[in-house]
Amino acid sequence: EVQLVESGGGLVQPGGSLRLSCAASGFTFSNYWMHWVRQAPGKGLVWISRINSDGTGTSYADSVKGRFTISRDNARNTLYLQMNSLRVEDTAVYYCFCLEAPAGEDWGQGTLVTVSS
Amino acid sequence: DIQMTQSPSAMSASVGDRVTITCRASQGINNYLVWFQQKPGKVPKRLISDASSLQSGVPSRFSGSGSGTEFTLTISSLQPEDFATYYCLQHKSYPWTFGQGTKVEIK
């Protein structure tokens, strides 16, 4: 069974940094592209970043480009999202997501990031 | 960037109703479209991939159709557990984009 477990969320002041992790198990992590998606409170889903299977290719939404960095450690089966220069509008639940994983096992449970002074 | 326009944004329906939700892409995306269902406080659940492929375990009252720029999600007979918010996602090109969501409420 595929499992994706996020961690690293919390309360941070505007301008601060946070690193999210997504620990993967139950599948050959190194074979799959991975994504981060976020959802602000009461709002819709927003795709923010992707990384290819070996970590050499990345893409970002304009809203986070230059501030967030996606990376992965295939030896540790872990996906990361380094978030710098955080803004109030980055407050959201952050999910890791794998489109190729079986439905029902394709999302983590999410981790809440709150940016507030 | 490809914009996904989902309609309606909200609707009220009764148990047993036929419900249709539409997503329009600002440019052609072939069939690179996924439909998700999300209930409050829960993780999104994938219902349909490749515009029309029902995921394992998803009831057959859900169906998807379309290709190119116009797509529909149909619930043939709405059940109490179907009251939720539905999202489409295009994965034809980056940045991937979701529709803004359709909240299906009880009439």
Side-chain angles (χ1 to χ4, degrees):
Chain A
E1 179 190 1
V2 173
Q3 279 202 315
L4 301 171
V5 180
E6 300 95 336
S7 60
L11 175 64
V12 61
Q13 292 189 334
S17 298
L18 214 52
R19 189 176 83 155
L20 305 183
S21 300
C22 171
S25 61
F27 68 120
T28 306
F29 178 71
S30 59
N31 286 354
Y32 296 99
W33 293 32
M34 296 295 296
H35 305 260
W36 287 100
V37 173
R38 71 183 181 186
Q39 187 169 37
K43 302 297 184 182
L45 300 167
V46 178
W47 177 90
I48 57 170
S49 188
R50 69 92 182 173
I51 188 166
N52 67 358
S53 56
D54 64 5
T56 59
T58 59
S59 300
Y60 298 92
D62 285 347
S63 58
V64 305
K65 200 174 294 182
R67 300 187 299 123
F68 289 13
T69 302
I70 190 172
S71 63
R72 66 192 297 160
D73 184 337
N74 285 341
R76 289 185 163 84
N77 291 337
T78 303
L79 174 72
Y80 301 102
L81 186 68
Q82 178 66 44
M83 304 186 296
N84 298 332
S85 303
L86 282 161
R87 305 167 180 167
V88 170
E89 56 266 33
D90 294 319
T91 294
V93 174
Y94 285 74
Y95 296 100
C96 60
F97 172 62
C98 179
L99 184 64
E100 286 76 27
E105 302 173 11
D106 45 353
W107 296 79
Q109 84 288 354
T111 187
L112 176 63
V113 172
T114 303
V115 185
S116 174
S117 54
Chain B
D1 297 1
I2 298 174
Q3 309 304 317
M4 300 300 295
T5 303
Q6 193 172 335
S7 61
S9 55
M11 63 183 300
S12 296
S14 300
V15 172
D17 284 353
R18 181 181 182 87
V19 168
T20 299
I21 299 167
T22 298
C23 259
R24 288 188 174 86
S26 60
Q27 57 187 271
I29 60 170
N30 301 110
N31 66 338
Y32 291 96
L33 188 103
V34 180
W35 288 100
F36 296 96
Q37 175 195 68
Q38 188 179 33
K39 296 181 180 179
K42 300 295 186 181
V43 174
K45 174 184 176 182
R46 192 186 332 160
L47 301 176
I48 288 170
S49 293
D50 301 330
S52 59
S53 296
L54 195 67
Q55 296 301 284
S56 176
V58 175
S60 59
R61 62 180 179 273
F62 290 92
S63 64
S65 65
S67 183
T69 61
E70 187 149 340
F71 303 86
T72 58
L73 172 70
T74 300
I75 309 172
S76 60
S77 177
L78 197 66
Q79 297 302 299
E81 60 268 30
D82 301 337
F83 291 96
T85 301
Y86 294 84
Y87 297 93
C88 62
L89 166 69
Q90 72 79 17
H91 59 102
K92 172 68 165 61
S93 65
Y94 292 107
W96 286 6
T97 40
F98 287 89
Q100 74 272 30
T102 296
K103 187 173 184 178
V104 177
E105 299 175 304
I106 302 172
K107 184 183 284 186

